[in-house]
Amino acid sequence: MSRARGEDTRGVTRAGAAAPARERAWLVAAALVAAAALLARLHNAFAYPPLHDYDAAGHALNVFALYQGRLPDPHSWSGFHPPLYYALGALLWHALPEAIPVHAALRILSAAAGFGAIAIAWRALRRVVSPADAAVVAALVACAPVVAIATSMLGNETSCALFTTAALARTMRIPDDPRAARRHGSVSALLAALAALSKSTGLVALGVVGLAYAWRLRRAGVSFAMRAMLAMGGVALVLLLPQYGRLAIETRSPLGVISGGQLADQAGNEMSVQPPGERHLADYVSFPVAALVAPSKDAPGMVQSVPGPLYAGTWADAQGAFLPTQVSVVRDAAAGAALLGLVPTLLAIAGLVRILRRSELRAVAATPLVFAALLFAAFLAQTWVVPRYTAVKASYLLSALLPAALALAVGVAEASGRWRTLWRAALLATAAYMTFLTWYGWWT
């Protein structure tokens, strides 16, 4: 009897040791894929031609203005954007030796912000799913073309995503003690304000973060909650009033602080002539088979940027600003990436359903999901405002990186047995393929 019991114990011990070993193997595999993605971005920063980035001229002029010690012209193409990314770029320009190209340094700044956001999301995911699932999902996010291209180009989307992700991650663990929650909220408000100083998208994050703390503090008494919210609002007001107050005065409209109102005359001209014509709401949520494989009527051999700019921009290159889609092999490879993107997309939808159905998951993910819903609704509204312009790019939604990763992670974690192993392997294989696709220059 005792011998049999001992043998059984040893068997359990061996099985228990094997499970952590398998989990560590997934961690190592995910780390290798993420490391390859990082190397690809560093290479892209130097290899991608200067000023070929999406809206490169406008972003570069903003950095140059601050490098010279003046504010960007709000009447220019990108001059109404908040200045944080450009200010950091200008400081980097001053600090680095002349041997390092400025355009490469600005792209590396984007890559650093993007990978910082992914690292924060990875830590947040570990509070919801296993370390292995969190690592696999973080690696997939790091390699998704929307992230790969944004972190290979200069632009303010990644810096906004960094601070938004940091603020939203903190709302997943607000302390129960009211005084601790008030201190916690002041830091979160600071991070959300920095997001709004990077891109106006951050204003949505600031509002959602404030509501999250107001909801948590509602039982501490009206007086205490009001003082806490005033303290948080004061932090944000001090940082944001100079930039957004200036824009409100210039545009003579509160709405002008979001898009520059009528300031950006160049933007208005660009919107009125941009091909291939009017966008419809269905274009943004469709699966873009035609956009990936059909030649454009205006330029034979080129693929169209619509329909499906959100999906194609996430898993391929709907804007055509990075991949040389006039090359047939690249176009076919991008189409393959979009097909592979169906796997994480469907897993994320399944994970979202799981989150909405389980109260403990809803409690943790509520604020990030509310932010994602409001951001998506706000951007879709732009399709009615400027229907002849791609007002919504997938990279504009990078600030919703955390809620998307949460949904995907739960979708993977809720699978059982071999299905879970299959999904992990599929995500890492997809991530590796997409890094290969977006490693600039090998296909030319």
Side-chain angles (χ1 to χ4, degrees), residues 101-385:
V102 175
H103 69 274
L106 296 177
R107 290 169 182 168
I108 292 173
L109 180 61
S110 294
F115 275 87
I118 293 166
I120 293 169
W122 168 68
R123 287 179 59 86
L125 292 178
R126 289 165 61 95
R127 295 194 289 271
V128 180
V129 299
S130 72
D133 288 332
V136 167
V137 169
L140 184 278
V141 172
C143 298
V146 61
V147 176
I149 294 171
T151 53
S152 296
M153 297 181 172
L154 62 95
N156 53 0
E157 283 90 356
T158 55
S159 57
C160 183
L162 170 64
F163 295 114
T164 298
T165 302
L168 293 176
R170 289 177 62 83
T171 64
M172 295 172 62
R173 50 184 176 86
I174 301 175
D176 292 327
D177 178 69
R179 289 179 174 79
R182 181 175 59 186
R183 293 191 297 270
H184 197 267
S186 295
V187 177
S188 299
L190 172 63
L191 292 169
L194 291 175
L197 270 181
S198 299
K199 194 176 180 71
S200 57
T201 304
L203 293 172
V204 181
L206 182 61
V208 171
V209 166
L211 289 174
Y213 283 93
W215 180 258
R216 178 58 63 90
L217 293 170
R218 71 191 189 281
R219 295 179 180 176
V222 175
S223 177
F224 183 89
M226 289 296 293
R227 290 197 303 271
M229 298 312 297
L230 287 173
M232 293 174 59
V235 170
L237 187 64
V238 168
L239 287 176
L240 300 180
L241 185 59
Q243 164 65 16
Y244 288 98
R246 169 176 172 255
L247 282 183
I249 293 171
E250 292 278 357
T251 60
R252 299 180 183 179
S253 168
L255 296 178
V257 305
I258 306 246
S259 62
Q262 301 299 318
L263 287 179
D265 300 325
Q266 296 177 24
N269 295 334
E270 184 80 10
M271 291 175 187
S272 65
V273 299
Q274 189 183 65
E278 186 170 328
R279 277 79 163 158
H280 300 282
L281 180 60
D283 295 337
Y284 287 87
V285 294
S286 65
F287 177 72
V289 176
L292 293 168
V293 300
S296 170
K297 296 178 181 179
D298 299 324
M302 297 288 288
V303 294
Q304 299 176 2
S305 62
V306 291
L310 287 185
Y311 184 90
T314 300
W315 303 115
D317 185 10
Q319 305 298 324
F322 187 82
L323 299 178
T325 48
Q326 69 275 18
V327 180
S328 60
V329 66
V330 180
R331 184 166 65 248
D332 294 341
L339 290 172
L340 289 173
L342 288 173
V343 174
T345 299
L346 294 175
L347 279 174
I349 292 172
L352 177 61
V353 172
R354 292 277 189 176
I355 291 173
L356 295 177
R357 293 178 62 180
R358 292 176 54 179
S359 59
E360 68 276 14
L361 291 176
R362 287 200 308 271
V364 173
T367 303
L369 290 181
V370 169
F371 168 77
L374 291 177
L375 181 64
F376 189 70
F379 276 126
L380 286 186
Q382 296 299 312
T383 62
W384 283 279
V385 178

Side-chain angles (χ1 to χ4, degrees), residues 409-429:
V410 171
V412 174
E414 291 296 317
S416 58
R418 294 180 179 178
W419 282 108
R420 190 177 186 184
T421 300
L422 175 63
W423 296 140
R424 287 178 176 179
L427 292 185
L428 286 183

Side-chain angles (χ1 to χ4, degrees), residues 55-90 93 106 154 156 198:
D55 285 346
H59 293 308
L61 285 174
N62 287 349
V63 176
F64 183 64
L66 286 162
Y67 175 79
Q68 293 185 320
R70 55 185 176 83
L71 292 174
D73 178 9
H75 294 273
S76 65
W77 169 244
S78 297
F80 60 86
H81 282 301
L84 182 57
Y85 169 81
Y86 310 115
L88 293 174
W93 191 346
L106 296 177
L154 62 95
N156 53 0
S198 299

